[in-house]
Amino acid sequence: MCQQFRFLTSALGRGAVAVMTPNTILITGASSGIGAALAKHLAKPGTHLILWGRDESRLADIAQACRQSGAIVTTASVDVSNIEDFKARLLASDTATPLTQAIFNAGLGGTADADRPGEDVARVEAISMVNFVSPIVGATMLCERMAARGGGHIVLIGSVSAYFPLPMAPTYASTKAGLAMFAESLRMRMAKHNVAVTLVSPGFIDTPMSRAFDSPKPFLMTAETFARIIAQRLPSRPANVIVPWQYTVLRALSHALPRALTRAIINRH
Ligand SMILES: NC(=O)c1ccc[n+]([C@@H]2O[C@H](COP(=O)([O-])OP(=O)(O)OC[C@H]3O[C@@H](n4cnc5c(N)ncnc54)[C@H](OP(=O)(O)O)[C@@H]3O)[C@@H](O)[C@H]2O)c1
């Protein structure tokens, strides 16, 4: 609990005053879609939201909405694929305002071009940096600092695509599969340090990312509904959250079926 208190010196010189600091939550990719919706659902008095994205104008609009709900909000334009800058900014932010929760949500989607055999190499690099390298580096840095403070909560936004081979998006699916394994491993490692690690696996959520995906989107859910469910679930620090729930069933089925059958079903669509 000690990280939830800080001491401010009264401007009037009346000495040190103990002030309850807010829950301090970092959300990457807060300028759009799921991150923006989550920010709005987590915004309330007693919460300090640190919202990162690249588009400053969209970030400013979301910050304004969060302030109207009573949150303290700080925004920063951070390109998480610039890994050295990302690390320095994370360190500076956590030093200035120790984080109680970090939601690594920034992500790049997109499917491979249909008119070439492989994927665009530059795109492969970008997706890997944003979806995998940056969240695992960030989570690793923060979990040590949280452990030293007595606890914390790391939230990784994965995808149900981690559980199925996706020939139309090999890099995207594999970054999310890697993130799922990282989450499970880190959770085990950090359990004795009171640092919880939650993997959130969204199905199809209606955001700019999924709108660019030109295929059927079973069980499509709005970002607002998704964020409301996640905001309700996070306080219990669950290991895994899969939303919409139908994908929990599909994941169990995919584990029960022989992999060759799963591949055959996916190849037919
Ligand atoms: N929507 C779905 O159906 C779905 C399903 C499964 C998983 N997910 C996951 O959910 C997360 C959020 O996706 P979304 O659907 O909300 O997509 P989105 O609306 O496209 O938002 C993506 C967010 O990531 C940020 N971002 C991308 N590249 C970045 C970079 N290099 N540096 C910093 N920020 C960067 C974007 O910032 P700017 O816009 O400011 O550049 C934006 O805020 C992703 O991890 C995604 O893989 C989404």
Side-chain angles (χ1 to χ4, degrees):
M1 292 296 284
C2 62
Q3 81 269 25
Q4 293 190 315
F5 291 88
R6 67 181 169 180
F7 290 87
L8 296 181
T9 302
S10 160
L12 296 173
R14 284 192 291 256
V17 180
V19 176
M20 181 81 171
T21 57
N23 277 327
T24 304
I25 305 173
L26 168 71
I27 307 177
T28 68
S31 51
S32 177
I34 288 174
L38 266 177
K40 289 178 191 163
H41 273 275
L42 294 171
K44 57 184 174 199
T47 297
H48 180 175
L49 292 174
I50 299 175
L51 306 181
W52 286 5
R54 289 177 301 183
D55 188 304
E56 293 185 33
S57 146
R58 276 191 270 117
L59 266 184
D61 290 346
I62 289 143
Q64 182 58 20
C66 294
R67 285 188 191 105
Q68 277 166 4
S69 298
I72 299 167
V73 185
T74 315
T75 62
S77 176
V78 178
D79 181 345
V80 300
S81 67
N82 181 345
I83 207 73
E84 291 308 321
D85 181 61
F86 168 71
K87 281 159 52 184
R89 303 283 288 271
L90 193 59
L91 203 59
S93 174
D94 188 61
T95 301
T97 328
L99 295 166
T100 50
Q101 186 175 72
I103 305 179
F104 292 100
N105 161 77
L108 272 184
T111 49
D113 294 339
D115 56 359
R116 61 187 292 173
E119 289 184 275
D120 176 73
V121 171
R123 188 77 184 164
V124 166
E125 286 178 22
I127 294 173
S128 306
M129 290 303 285
V130 175
N131 294 9
F132 185 68
V133 176
S134 128
I136 71 166
V137 166
T140 302
M141 288 171 66
L142 285 181
C143 71
E144 288 244 318
R145 296 169 71 91
M146 286 174 170
R149 294 196 287 266
H153 190 185
I154 305 278
V155 180
L156 298 158
I157 306 294
S159 167
V160 295
S161 66
Y163 310 123
F164 309 98
L166 293 184
M168 76 295 280
T171 304
Y172 182 81
S174 60
T175 57
K176 297 300 186 177
L179 207 56
M181 181 57 75
F182 174 77
E184 186 172 1
S185 308
L186 186 69
R187 181 180 313 121
M188 293 166 70
R189 187 173 176 87
M190 297 313 295
K192 61 178 174 290
H193 300 288
N194 192 31
V195 178
V197 179
T198 296
L199 177 70
V200 174
S201 302
F204 283 110
I205 311 302
D206 188 20
T207 68
M209 183 186 288
S210 66
R211 278 172 224 143
F213 183 63
D214 188 20
S215 283
K217 293 160 203 160
F219 314 116
L220 183 70
M221 178 180 267
T222 67
E224 287 66 32
T225 304
F226 176 81
R228 178 172 48 74
I229 295 169
I230 299 304
Q232 280 167 356
R233 300 282 306 274
L234 286 183
S236 65
R237 311 201 327 166
N240 284 291
V241 184
I242 301 177
V243 177
W245 65 267
Q246 289 89 339
Y247 285 93
T248 309
V249 179
L250 289 177
R251 184 179 74 145
L253 275 177
S254 85
H255 285 165
L257 292 175
R259 197 63 162 180
L261 186 55
T262 305
R263 282 199 296 270
I265 293 168
I266 289 169
N267 270 332
R268 282 167 60 98
H269 292 85

